[in-house]
Amino acid sequence: MRKTAFLVAGGLFVAAPASLLAQTTDPTLNADAPFVRNIRPDRPGRTITTNMVPLGQVQVDAGTNRFEPAEATGFGSTRTLSGATLRIGLPSHIELRLTQGYLHPSDKRAAAPAIAASGDFEVPVPSTALPGGFAPLTIGAKFLASTVPNARSQVVLLGEVTLRNGDTSFPNKVLEPGARLLVSQQLGQRYGLEANFGFRQRGFRAADTKLGTYLGTLALNGPLGGSFGFFAETYTTWQRESKLAPGATAGIYWRPLPNLRFDLNAGQGFTPEAEGLSVGAGFSVRLPK
């Protein structure tokens, strides 16, 4: 029931901006709004914005997060993940994206379950080292689905695939395709409401869809006065035969220049299936001005 309600709410949110897109005919009416003109990175939360890097410009979104992994991942108690996304503006309203993460090594070891020996007692299995180092690279692209760029309501499609490279300590690496529908609604001149609905799976076989992970997010961002602002989101992930794993992320940012932004953030998952407490910081820059 909770999954059905979430999908219905997400559908209504997507349908509302879609009806408004038909009413926007002149992109110059909104091109100079602060929400459009100022840099909007695809961080610090799980929500990816509808913002597209213009043709001939390059943007880097980078940061570091200290987080408590979900219980089922086997990544240990508390880890540090650094990462960066390189975003390049291409013709025809396309944005090329390269995302590289680095999971800082840990001196702790992953716990391994005991196995039954031939007798009536158990023999513990030696624990294995936790994965660390460069994570597999993710390549993706955004495609503008709206008829008018920089409109108050936007719809963008994101497709991506995670490769099988990265450090050898990462187990069971396979190609992981994924896709998202990105929707945004500008509120006034500086506030914005954004939502994502996506799906990612391990492998390209039809059977792999049963183990794929769905993602839904809803985020609000806007000014706090001067060059400072806030970001807040709620999200959930789930699989076809698993419980919802909801959480929330919030943060503040400082934007000394329209094309430069620094942020501090914190997040918390609400169930054992979600990640626990996380804290982090990062920056975003777009060149040339």
Side-chain angles (χ1 to χ4, degrees):
M1 179 63 72
R2 288 188 300 171
K3 293 182 182 179
T4 302
F6 181 83
L7 292 173
V8 172
L12 293 174
F13 182 83
V14 170
S19 65
L20 294 174
L21 289 172
Q23 304 174 18
T24 306
T25 58
D26 188 354
T28 61
L29 296 177
N30 196 54
D32 199 45
F35 182 74
V36 173
R37 184 180 68 249
N38 295 328
I39 188 171
R40 285 160 55 203
D42 291 341
R43 56 161 292 110
R46 304 195 180 205
T47 302
I48 295 179
T49 72
T50 59
N51 176 253
M52 306 278 287
V53 175
L55 175 64
Q57 294 190 353
V58 175
Q59 181 169 322
V60 176
D61 302 336
T64 297
N65 275 71
R66 184 74 170 170
F67 69 102
E68 298 174 352
E71 292 182 355
T73 62
F75 274 55
S77 56
T78 303
R79 302 298 301 273
T80 300
L81 176 66
S82 299
T85 298
L86 174 65
R87 303 167 56 187
I88 304 172
L90 300 180
S92 302
H93 303 296
I94 298 175
E95 175 187 298
L96 176 65
R97 302 163 53 81
L98 303 172
T99 300
Q100 179 64 67
Y102 181 80
L103 187 61
H104 295 253
S106 172
D107 56 359
K108 297 181 180 180
R109 303 181 72 83
I115 60 172
S118 57
D120 58 353
F121 58 90
E122 292 186 347
V123 177
V125 176
S127 60
T128 57
L130 293 171
F134 285 101
L137 177 69
T138 298
I139 301 175
K142 285 182 179 178
F143 302 90
L144 182 67
S146 307
T147 56
V148 179
N150 297 327
R152 294 181 62 87
S153 301
Q154 288 281 47
V155 178
V156 171
L157 300 178
L158 169 67
E160 57 187 6
V161 60
T162 299
L163 306 182
R164 292 181 294 182
N165 59 352
D167 194 271
T168 56
S169 63
F170 286 89
N172 305 322
K173 289 184 290 187
V174 297
L175 293 175
E176 297 185 22
R180 292 196 197 192
L181 177 67
L182 318 176
V183 180
S184 70
Q185 176 61 52
Q186 183 178 323
L187 308 174
Q189 291 294 301
R190 301 182 66 184
Y191 292 89
L193 190 64
E194 306 208 52
N196 290 182
F197 181 77
F199 177 78
R200 172 182 291 274
Q201 68 181 50
R202 293 176 53 81
F204 285 87
R205 300 175 306 173
D208 296 327
T209 61
K210 297 180 180 180
L211 302 177
T213 301
Y214 294 88
L215 168 70
T217 76
L218 182 62
L220 177 66
N221 61 84
L224 291 173
S227 299
F228 290 89
F230 75 94
F231 167 90
E233 75 168 358
T234 181
Y235 64 84
T236 188
T237 62
W238 71 94
Q239 294 179 322
R240 290 174 58 178
E241 298 181 358
S242 69
K243 299 179 180 179
L244 294 176
T249 310
I252 57 173
Y253 63 81
W254 174 51
R255 191 180 55 246
L257 298 171
N259 281 14
L260 177 64
R261 196 175 100 165
F262 300 91
D263 67 73
L264 298 173
N265 61 87
Q268 177 65 60
F270 300 141
T271 66
E273 292 78 17
E275 291 182 359
L277 176 67
S278 66
V279 292
F283 73 94
S284 298
V285 60
R286 180 182 292 180
L287 298 172
K289 183 176 180 181

